[in-house]
Amino acid sequence: TRLLAGWVADHPDQLGRHINATFETTNYHNSAARILQDGERPYADFALEYPPGQIPLVLAPEAVDAFSYRTRFIALCIAADALGLWGLCRMARRSGCWWGAVTWLLLVPSLGPVAYSRTDVFVAASLVWTFERLQAGRQGAAGVSLGLGLAVKLTPALLLPALLAGSTRRGRLLAGTGIAAGLFVLPFVADLGDMWREVIRFHADRGVQIESLWGSAVLAWRHLQGEAFQARFAFGSFDVTGVAGWIKPLSTTLSVAVVAVSAVVVRRVRGDLATISVTLTAALATLVVTGRVLSPQYLLWLVALYSAALTLAPHRLRWPTVLTGLAVTLTLAEFPFLWFELFADRAEALVVLFTRNLFLLAAAVLAAREAWLAIRAVPPVRPAEADTPVSAGESAGENGPGHEVGAERGEDGEVEEPGGGHHRGVGPLLESGTGHEHQPQGGDGARHPEP
């Protein structure tokens, strides 16, 4: 699947007269040339809309002389894709559920050439490994993985408040995130002002993108009213012109509310990784659909979180994942195949785009409902428990589900029993959100899953 998807991404002319979906690799190549050949400094000498973690990814393909820059960059993206799949397989070996790995395997290439011509696949892989490390009880390493994704794009910062609220080792998680992201920012300390302007203000000043739910609704309404298609190219994308002034502040308000609410509700299930994964997936799905910018590659973030949540809580997000898969398919139909038809104000292109966004909206609503049901099903953390830091590894290994007294942990999350047998260890309180109820603690202080 990756060889086929990579070949298609590297041969955009084979898709006919449709837009070249891998054009962004040309911008990456130009940035690499300005840094390596012209000696220019990002942010100070030329604009760069992303954080400095993207710079090594842009420069890495230049280390190889063979093939074109686009081919090398696509190969690097496929390597990140494989890294994400490996993380999900490690999670599946602990939880015993492989639906997350299957979801990643199918949906990443289904997004088309855009999946392997943007840096978002690296962010998606970092999100997967954040949950993999949390499941393994390595909260500091989980912070490092999150920080690496944050250094490439600001998206993981939207999840950080809720992750900290639900963490049992907040200091380690925050320290890992800060160290990983800080290492990329450190070389550009002198350009922090320019970096803030290029990254933060760039996205703050963006308008309402035509591909967002808001933009597609405006375009569909105007089409029904017989009005002309109105859009302008700005900030690297096409925005709807003449939209109501309340859309942008409303979108921003909703986004801030989602981040805040997710952090508040996660505190109730602190340490319960399965329920936290469902809640964060619902939060990101809502942020994507309510945001005023919705580029095709954003769906890779959703694929990452849905895959992780399916591995940890397989019974919770089945239907939202199906709806998101349909949205991925429609995204490929819209970009690149119906892109020119969209600007020609053709009804079929508008229907595909608006239907895609409705699928994403329905998936977000269902995911939010499942998150709320999962949170309500978990008994609130007692003050004594909240003050006792229990990492994922501790609850899954020494005194957690799937552990017997006197057992020792083997490789890849296996728990070896004194009698020589073994069974799989799972993440912290993983039974919640997967159809099991919390069981009372035994005399050894261990929580035992339902038989």
Side-chain angles (χ1 to χ4, degrees):
T1 58
R2 272 50 186 176
L3 287 176
L4 176 61
W7 184 89
V8 171
D10 199 28
H11 295 79
D13 54 305
Q14 298 297 316
L15 298 178
R17 68 178 186 86
H18 307 288
I19 188 173
N20 177 9
T22 61
F23 66 87
E24 191 68 23
T25 57
T26 302
N27 297 331
Y28 296 153
H29 194 191
N30 292 336
S31 297
R34 298 185 71 168
I35 296 173
L36 295 178
Q37 299 176 16
D38 301 336
E40 296 186 16
R41 187 177 179 84
Y43 308 110
D45 299 326
F46 67 94
L48 193 64
E49 64 178 279
Y50 298 114
Q54 185 171 140
I55 296 174
L57 302 178
V58 168
L59 297 179
E62 292 290 356
V64 180
D65 294 331
F67 308 108
S68 66
Y69 180 91
R70 181 172 63 193
T71 303
R72 286 173 264 158
F73 186 84
I74 290 172
L76 186 63
C77 289
I78 293 177
D81 176 10
L83 185 64
L85 181 61
W86 178 35
L88 289 166
C89 289
R90 288 172 60 90
M91 293 176 64
R93 291 185 64 183
R94 299 189 189 105
S95 69
C97 179
W98 289 82
W99 282 114
V102 172
T103 299
W104 177 280
L105 186 68
L106 295 178
L107 292 189
V108 171
S110 297
L111 194 58
V114 71
Y116 299 117
S117 58
R118 306 291 196 279
T119 56
D120 295 80
V121 68
F122 297 94
V123 179
S126 77
L127 293 176
V128 167
W129 277 90
T130 298
F131 282 96
E132 192 280 335
R133 291 289 81 194
L134 287 174
Q135 186 195 35
R138 308 285 183 167
Q139 300 200 35
V144 170
S145 179
L146 189 71
L148 292 176
L150 179 60
V152 177
K153 279 199 170 182
L154 297 177
T155 305
L158 301 174
L159 306 177
L160 183 57
L163 281 174
L164 290 175
S167 173
T168 56
R169 300 279 188 177
R170 296 174 185 173
R172 295 184 181 183
L173 181 65
L174 186 59
T177 304
I179 291 173
L183 289 177
F184 289 93
V185 176
L186 190 61
F188 301 96
V189 170
D191 305 318
L192 285 179
D194 296 323
M195 187 185 308
W196 177 268
R197 182 177 63 255
E198 298 297 342
V199 178
I200 304 297
R201 292 184 182 178
F202 178 93
H203 294 282
D205 293 339
R206 298 184 75 169
V208 179
Q209 190 185 38
I210 62 174
E211 295 172 272
S212 67
L213 176 63
W214 311 97
S216 61
V218 171
L219 294 178
W221 174 255
R222 288 178 177 174
H223 181 83
L224 293 175
Q225 297 299 312
E227 299 180 16
F229 185 95
Q230 300 178 23
R232 62 170 184 146
F233 185 79
F235 298 96
S237 61
F238 287 92
D239 296 337
V240 180
T241 59
V243 297
W246 52 266
I247 292 181
K248 186 173 178 179
L250 175 60
S251 173
T252 302
T253 301
L254 289 174
S255 298
V256 173
V258 169
V259 173
V261 170
S262 63
V264 171
V265 299
V266 158
R267 286 181 58 87
R268 176 183 171 90
V269 292
R270 182 180 174 189
D272 188 335
L273 185 57
T275 305
I276 291 173
S277 69
V278 174
T279 306
L280 264 64
T281 301
L284 185 60
T286 306
L287 288 170
V288 167
V289 79
T290 59
R292 63 181 185 274
V293 178
L294 205 173
S295 298
Q297 61 270 21
Y298 289 9
L299 271 67
L300 288 171
W301 314 337
L302 295 182
V303 171
L305 285 196
Y306 274 113
S307 299
L310 280 177
T311 306
L312 296 169
H315 299 291
R316 286 291 182 188
L317 295 179
R318 290 172 295 182
W319 288 112
T321 303
V322 170
L323 291 172
T324 303
L326 294 175
V328 168
T329 304
L330 291 179
T331 299
L332 176 60
E334 180 258 330
F335 186 84
F337 293 105
L338 293 177
W339 186 248
F340 290 133
E341 283 74 8
L342 179 64
F343 284 87
D345 202 16
R346 298 283 296 273
E348 61 270 26
L350 290 171
V351 168
V352 167
L353 177 60
F354 190 57
T355 303
R356 187 280 303 268
N357 290 336
L358 288 180
F359 279 145
L360 290 176
L361 177 61
V365 171
L366 290 178
R369 177 181 179 272
E370 290 297 332
W372 177 243
L373 292 176
I375 291 172
R376 290 186 61 186
V378 177
V381 178
R382 294 190 297 270
E385 292 178 343
D387 295 336
T388 304
V390 181
S391 68
E394 290 169 342
S395 62
E398 295 179 1
N399 289 315
H403 177 79
E404 300 294 336
V405 177
E408 296 182 356
R409 180 173 295 281
E411 297 181 358
D412 295 325
E414 291 187 2
V415 178
E416 298 179 358
E417 299 178 342
H422 67 273
H423 57 277
R424 298 291 182 187
V426 293
L429 307 184
L430 202 57
E431 66 275 17
S432 65
T434 58
H436 298 296
E437 298 294 332
H438 284 273
Q439 301 298 317
Q441 292 187 354
D444 59 354
R447 290 186 176 92
H448 299 284
E450 184 179 9

